[in-house]
Amino acid sequence: MADLRRRRLSVEAKLKIMSMKSKTGGQITKILKEKYGILTTRKTVNIYRKRLSNGETLDRKRCFSSIKNSKVKPIHKKIINMWLSRNSELTSPEIQRKFHSSFGLTVSTAHTRRIRRELGWTARHIKYCQLISNKNKFFCLVNRYNFCINTLISLETFSNVIFVDETSVEMSSNGRMFFTQHGPSMDRLPSKAPKPKHAYKVK
């Protein structure tokens, strides 16, 4: 027996199924085979009837509401873009809550992420950097340079030093996620203020 599980229904078969709404899936399968020579399975017929009740058309497209009837209007997208410009670390749940509190409308986080992508915002990740003042940066560099020069002059061989190969394992991940827009304007780049926060490490 031929494998019919992956066979798609033709437009003709769909029209026949639509004309036999009062019959069961098994009866429709039998009629399609005996009367019209269309081979399919009862499961396939029942799946299409379920999709048909949910609004699927003959070309396998669902009857979604038009853009005019969408909750999110162009003015709403401009406001979301303004929110992200002011705070580039806004996540989709936070935007969802702000949208509900500001306009009284409920949108899903998936729809919020889709709007954010349409506006051109992409996610980026950075780690916290270490806070070192310019004064300490200078003295740190000078001290390292002097240490290397003194080592070369004294012909230090580090014979009394044991070198051990070690691997650091971070116990947590501290970082920031923010969103940026592609474009030549520098004001679209978010601020990257450093924070003195480091992950716990085990050596």
Side-chain angles (χ1 to χ4, degrees):
M1 185 177 179
D3 188 8
L4 304 173
R5 291 175 298 177
R6 305 180 68 86
R7 181 173 297 181
R8 289 185 177 180
L9 292 172
S10 62
V11 176
E12 179 186 2
K14 291 179 180 181
L15 289 173
K16 302 297 183 184
I17 294 173
M18 292 171 62
S19 64
M20 295 182 286
K21 294 182 179 180
S22 60
K23 298 185 181 298
T24 63
Q27 293 173 344
I28 295 175
T29 304
K30 186 177 180 180
I31 294 173
L32 289 175
K33 179 181 179 181
E34 296 178 352
K35 190 174 180 180
Y36 303 103
I38 299 175
L39 298 178
T40 185
T41 61
R42 181 176 58 183
K43 182 179 179 181
T44 303
V45 172
N46 290 332
I47 289 176
Y48 174 68
R49 295 176 73 180
K50 183 177 180 180
R51 290 177 176 174
L52 188 64
S53 62
N54 291 334
E56 184 176 296
T57 59
L58 292 177
D59 55 354
R60 298 180 62 82
K61 294 181 180 179
R62 298 183 180 273
C63 299
F64 292 111
S65 58
S66 62
I67 299 177
K68 295 181 179 179
N69 297 328
S70 177
K71 293 181 181 179
V72 182
K73 307 296 182 182
I75 185 63
H76 297 148
K77 294 182 180 181
K78 291 182 180 180
I79 294 177
I80 292 176
N81 189 60
M82 180 188 66
W83 289 342
L84 287 168
S85 300
R86 293 180 177 178
N87 183 6
S88 60
E89 298 184 21
L90 279 178
T91 59
S92 54
E94 292 172 342
I95 296 175
Q96 181 189 38
R97 289 191 291 268
K98 286 175 67 69
F99 196 83
H100 179 73
S101 62
S102 301
F103 307 108
L105 299 176
T106 303
V107 294
S108 64
T109 54
H111 190 49
T112 304
R113 290 191 295 268
R114 184 162 55 250
I115 294 173
R116 187 173 58 200
R117 287 194 298 268
E118 291 177 358
L119 295 173
W121 293 91
T122 56
R124 294 181 59 186
H125 299 267
I126 61 170
K127 287 188 174 182
Y128 291 117
C129 56
Q130 188 175 4
L131 284 176
I132 303 177
S133 64
N134 293 330
K135 180 180 179 180
N136 290 335
K137 287 180 182 178
F138 175 75
F139 283 107
C140 181
L141 180 62
V142 171
N143 292 333
R144 289 184 179 182
Y145 175 78
N146 292 334
F147 174 78
C148 294
I149 296 298
N150 294 332
T151 301
L152 292 174
I153 294 175
S154 62
L155 301 178
E156 177 65 57
T157 60
F158 300 100
S159 58
N160 58 343
V161 177
I162 300 176
F163 294 93
V164 179
D165 186 14
E166 58 185 19
T167 302
S168 300
V169 179
E170 293 189 1
M171 303 300 294
S172 61
S173 178
N174 296 322
R176 295 173 57 200
M177 182 181 70
F178 57 90
F179 299 90
T180 58
Q181 270 186 325
H182 297 287
S185 179
M186 293 299 295
D187 57 358
R188 294 185 177 184
L189 297 176
S191 59
K192 301 178 182 179
K195 294 183 180 181
K197 189 174 182 180
H198 304 278
Y200 297 105
K201 295 182 180 180
V202 176
K203 297 184 178 180

